[in-house]
Amino acid sequence: MWLRSPSTVPEKPHWTLFLNVHGPATIKKQKDQAGWHCSALRVIKGRWKLSSSQGGTEIGVGLVGFGLFFIFFGVLLYFDSVLLAFGNLLFLSGLAIIIGLRRTFNFFFQKEKLKGTSFFLGGILIVLLRWPLLGMLLETYGFITLFRDFFPVVFGFLGALGNIPLLSKDKSTCITRAVW
């Protein structure tokens, strides 16, 4: 079955969808009379592949940002369990969209990170059960245990970005600035 979008102007590119009964659907690059090309979108074995390399990264970053906002706002409102639970769900879904489901699963369930994972996911479960203070304590400990390897990178970046002496790697500038 061939589907073609209506093209009112012959110079504009058009999309062609070919649905094979025994195989995957493919939207192919088509060249019309003027020589224009369309970008490709493929469906391979039930998976959508976008032609852009970033795919859903922007959506994932937005979800993580909103998740952190809701967590922060939930803490400011005296550990509101609904905001904390919503922020946790947004944060985890955004992380899964950014790095992919398989990589997220592999990250959380590495042998050396099982302790942090159990505390982090257990804290989320406790927050969902409406015990926000205990849940956030467990989550914080799990987060620190899970992301312990990333903290030097983040502090180095913040030190270089804001030129903060305590966070920068160059200790000689810390000493000279402290003396002056």
Side-chain angles (χ1 to χ4, degrees):
M1 174 167 115
W2 286 88
L3 295 175
R4 181 178 260 180
S5 67
S7 178
T8 56
V9 182
E11 292 87 28
K12 298 288 181 183
H14 59 270
W15 293 91
T16 302
L17 175 64
F18 177 69
L19 292 174
N20 188 353
V21 177
H22 302 290
T26 307
I27 297 177
K28 296 182 178 181
K29 289 183 180 178
Q30 296 294 323
K31 192 172 185 180
D32 60 6
Q33 296 85 5
W36 291 85
H37 292 278
C38 296
S39 58
L41 173 66
R42 298 177 291 158
V43 181
I44 300 174
K45 295 181 183 175
R47 295 183 185 164
W48 289 87
K49 298 222 172 193
L50 297 173
S51 60
S52 71
S53 62
Q54 293 183 348
T57 305
E58 296 90 3
I59 295 171
V61 168
L63 287 175
V64 166
F66 276 118
L68 292 175
F69 171 75
F70 278 111
I71 289 172
F72 178 70
F73 201 56
V75 169
L76 283 179
L77 291 176
Y78 300 113
F79 293 97
D80 183 30
S81 61
V82 175
L83 288 175
L84 292 174
F86 192 60
N88 287 329
L89 294 176
L90 285 176
F91 178 77
L92 285 179
S93 61
L95 187 66
I97 289 175
I98 289 173
I99 63 175
L101 288 174
R102 181 170 290 158
R103 286 184 184 171
T104 303
F105 185 80
N106 288 340
F107 173 76
F108 277 107
F109 293 102
Q110 292 175 7
K111 191 174 184 177
E112 60 271 1
K113 294 187 179 186
L114 281 178
K115 180 181 172 184
T117 300
S118 62
F119 274 100
F120 186 71
L121 296 178
I124 290 175
L125 181 69
I126 300 278
V127 167
L128 289 174
L129 293 174
R130 304 245 179 189
W131 288 53
L133 187 60
L134 178 63
M136 285 305 293
L137 288 174
L138 292 174
E139 252 183 84
T140 303
Y141 178 72
F143 184 83
I144 290 171
T145 307
L146 274 174
F147 296 102
R148 179 183 300 160
D149 299 335
F150 296 117
F151 288 135
V153 175
V154 171
F155 288 147
F157 175 73
L158 289 175
L161 180 68
N163 200 9
I164 301 170
L166 295 175
L167 297 179
S168 66
K169 291 182 180 181
D170 187 17
K171 300 298 180 193
S172 64
T173 59
C174 294
I175 295 170
T176 57
R177 286 187 184 154
V179 170
W180 290 102

